[in-house]
Amino acid sequence: GTYIVVSERAAPGNDNGLQGPGLFRVFHYNNSNWQQVGATIYGESEKNSFFGQTVEITNNGTRVLVGASSYDIYDNDGNIITNNVGKIYTYEYNNSSNSWIQYGESIVGDSQELYLGGKDTGFSKEDGNTFAHGVRQEGITNTLDYCARVYQYNGANWQKTHEIPYEDGLSG
């Protein structure tokens, strides 16, 4: 294709820290060279969420899925209450503003050490209206009754449409 998305899951942010929130960039090939489309998008300010661990792009280069596998949930005092749940973001390119805008709410993992958005994602390449994610739990077995979820974008938010159960003999 003529569009690619690249990421750096621990790239320094605007604060020039040694390990930062991660980032993604989209490039388009114009028959002679690659040109960046829109600005670089950085992950949320907390460090080490691995924003950009997974990236996927639609065929026409207008929508991107980004995973942050080590995203943590914090309390109001800034203490981690659930770690490595992971988070999936979706972005859409806006031609008039030459910028990437998040579409739909982010999907946050629902259990500790889930690492949502780490590796096992699928994104509809035609329109970016469907995605799926598998689950990966480190050191935790038999805690989830599903191995994957499928989401459909309804024009405003992501709706979970399917949960795929584990087969007999498989565990989280």
Side-chain angles (χ1 to χ4, degrees):
T2 59
Y3 289 92
I4 60 171
V5 58
V6 296
S7 65
E8 299 174 53
R9 70 179 192 177
N14 294 329
D15 63 355
N16 294 319
L18 294 178
Q19 185 169 359
L23 60 82
F24 81 86
R25 295 179 219 168
V26 172
F27 293 89
H28 178 251
Y29 188 70
N30 67 5
N31 294 322
S32 62
N33 61 26
W34 291 97
Q35 294 182 325
Q36 187 168 343
V37 177
T40 299
I41 300 296
Y42 293 91
E44 295 180 48
S45 61
E46 71 260 5
K47 307 291 185 193
N48 305 322
S49 73
F50 282 1
F51 179 87
Q53 173 76 30
T54 298
V55 289
E56 300 197 38
I57 191 167
T58 54
N59 292 336
N60 66 4
T62 60
R63 287 185 165 178
V64 173
L65 176 143
V66 182
S69 62
S70 294
Y71 179 84
D72 299 321
I73 297 174
Y74 294 84
D75 66 16
N76 291 335
D77 295 323
N79 301 308
I80 295 174
I81 56 175
T82 312
N83 67 331
N84 296 321
V85 296
K87 191 171 185 179
I88 294 176
Y89 306 78
T90 49
Y91 292 88
E92 184 170 44
Y93 184 68
N94 182 309
N95 275 321
S96 60
S97 65
N98 190 33
S99 61
W100 291 97
I101 309 294
Q102 191 169 353
Y103 73 101
E105 77 285 359
S106 299
I107 303 299
V108 177
D110 57 6
S111 72
Q112 185 164 308
E113 306 292 328
L114 185 64
Y115 296 100
L116 183 67
K119 295 180 184 176
D120 304 320
T121 59
F123 189 52
S124 59
K125 301 298 185 188
E126 292 304 313
D127 60 13
N129 283 331
T130 305
F131 80 84
H133 70 77
V135 298
R136 170 184 164 218
Q137 287 189 293
E138 294 293 318
I140 302 171
T141 58
N142 301 319
T143 59
L144 297 174
D145 57 359
Y146 67 93
C147 66
R149 287 181 172 163
V150 179
Y151 293 83
Q152 183 75 35
Y153 185 64
N154 67 10
N157 289 304
W158 291 102
Q159 299 291 314
K160 180 176 55 173
T161 60
H162 296 86
E163 268 190 359
I164 301 168
Y166 279 108
E167 296 291 325
D168 288 340
L170 297 177
S171 63

